[in-house]
Amino acid sequence: MKPGLFGTPNDLLIEATAFRERVGNNELGGYTDDTVRGTIGVVHRFSETASLQGGLQVEQSRSQDVLGRVDATLVGFTATGRYDTTDNPLDPTRGVRLAATVNAYPKLMGSTIDLFEGRVSGSTYYALDEQADYVLAGRLAAGSLGGAPLADIPDSHRFFAGGGGSVRGYGFNTISPMMFGQITGGRSLIEGSAEVRVRITPTIGLVPFLDFGSVSRSSLPGFSDYVGYGAGLGLRYLTPVGPIRLDVATPLNPRPGDSRYAIYVSIGQAF
């Protein structure tokens, strides 16, 4: 990141990422994905709370699942808008967060498929008392894919739900439409969470929560496919840097192959 490019409220962003994912289990199937991605763009800061990022992205990936193997090259434009009025990045007690991303990878720019993505998310935080010992928190997210058939889209761009930042109680990225009893990912997503964050002592907090998520075959988000519901209780150890999170959750309507419970540990709140 190069802040204040040429003395303007614009930041130059250059990013390179390489990752491998191996997701799923014997009962639900899964996928493997290897991706290398590079991005160059500009972040314009309208204010301390609002920004817009736009740029060029190039990606090479290889993935394998029940639908077959996909080798894809994606070249296109990416744009993300953010609005954040929260009071703390790791442990917000008041304010809202909004984000929207649009990616376009047309064949005319060199992509092997036409792919168009849209994602939106929002969360809100409301303290019931002045000391913020009791905080209500909620989150909603949705996304949609257009362009190429699902079997030609890399797994890293298909939609899945489940995991510590999604529907707790389920394995990472295991909520999905299925074919031959195995997850395939989908073309749209809708998910949400609700929490009550209670500070018991200056360093200890408890968080009961409820999550839901559904991934659809169509490009229109909805509940036509399986909807996963997870509930649980979290323990927070509150430090000056941020909370250390321990969540224990269970799926309320598990499928064959889902675990009875899941445990998540991380730094910061779930959202």
Side-chain angles (χ1 to χ4, degrees):
M1 181 78 77
K2 167 61 176 171
L5 191 62
F6 304 121
T8 68
N10 300 309
D11 303 333
L12 176 65
L13 173 67
I14 300 176
E15 185 176 50
T17 307
F19 62 88
R20 164 172 286 187
E21 288 184 329
R22 295 178 62 87
V23 172
N25 58 38
N26 291 334
E27 291 80 8
L28 297 172
Y31 66 85
T32 61
D33 180 270
D34 297 284
T35 296
V36 177
R37 181 182 299 153
T39 304
I40 181 168
V42 173
V43 181
H44 178 75
R45 292 172 279 108
F46 296 98
S47 66
E48 292 184 357
T49 60
S51 65
L52 178 64
Q53 175 182 324
L56 178 68
Q57 192 168 87
V58 180
E59 175 182 310
Q60 181 70 47
S61 67
R62 173 178 295 176
S63 59
Q64 177 81 41
D65 62 14
V66 67
L67 298 180
R69 174 172 157 175
V70 178
D71 293 286
T73 299
L74 298 177
V75 182
F77 297 104
T78 177
T80 299
R82 293 184 176 89
Y83 178 74
D84 189 340
T85 65
T86 56
D87 56 353
N88 188 304
L90 292 179
D91 190 14
T93 62
R94 295 176 175 87
V96 298
R97 287 176 178 163
L98 303 173
T101 297
V102 177
N103 298 327
Y105 307 101
K107 283 185 177 180
L108 59 87
M109 292 189 66
S111 299
T112 53
I113 58 173
D114 284 315
L115 181 61
F116 307 96
E117 301 175 330
R119 300 170 185 256
V120 294
S121 63
S123 56
T124 184
Y125 312 88
Y126 180 74
L128 297 178
D129 61 305
E130 190 170 338
Q131 293 76 27
D133 290 334
Y134 300 87
V135 177
L136 303 180
R139 176 186 70 92
L140 284 174
S144 178
L145 293 177
L150 184 68
D152 295 336
I153 299 174
D155 285 286
S156 59
H157 287 268
R158 300 178 197 174
F159 287 106
F160 298 85
S166 177
V167 185
R168 286 163 285 187
Y170 292 83
F172 176 70
N173 277 8
T174 56
I175 296 178
S176 157
M178 305 186 78
M179 179 177 289
F180 307 119
Q182 298 189 40
I183 59 175
T184 64
R187 302 181 71 91
S188 63
L189 162 77
I190 185 167
E191 64 181 15
S193 302
E195 294 187 348
V196 181
R197 300 173 181 174
V198 181
R199 190 189 301 265
I200 305 299
T201 73
T203 58
I204 298 296
L206 291 178
V207 180
F209 57 83
L210 176 67
D211 303 330
F212 77 90
S214 179
V215 178
S216 301
R217 294 176 174 86
S218 72
S219 295
L220 183 65
F223 300 98
S224 57
D225 288 86
Y226 173 77
V227 182
Y229 295 92
L233 183 66
L235 176 68
R236 304 290 184 267
Y237 179 67
L238 307 172
T239 74
V241 177
I244 297 175
R245 173 168 68 105
L246 171 65
D247 287 338
V248 180
T250 184
L252 300 182
N253 56 332
R255 306 155 298 177
D258 286 323
S259 299
R260 295 175 58 187
Y261 66 92
I263 299 174
Y264 309 93
V265 180
S266 69
I267 296 176
Q269 298 285 5
F271 58 90

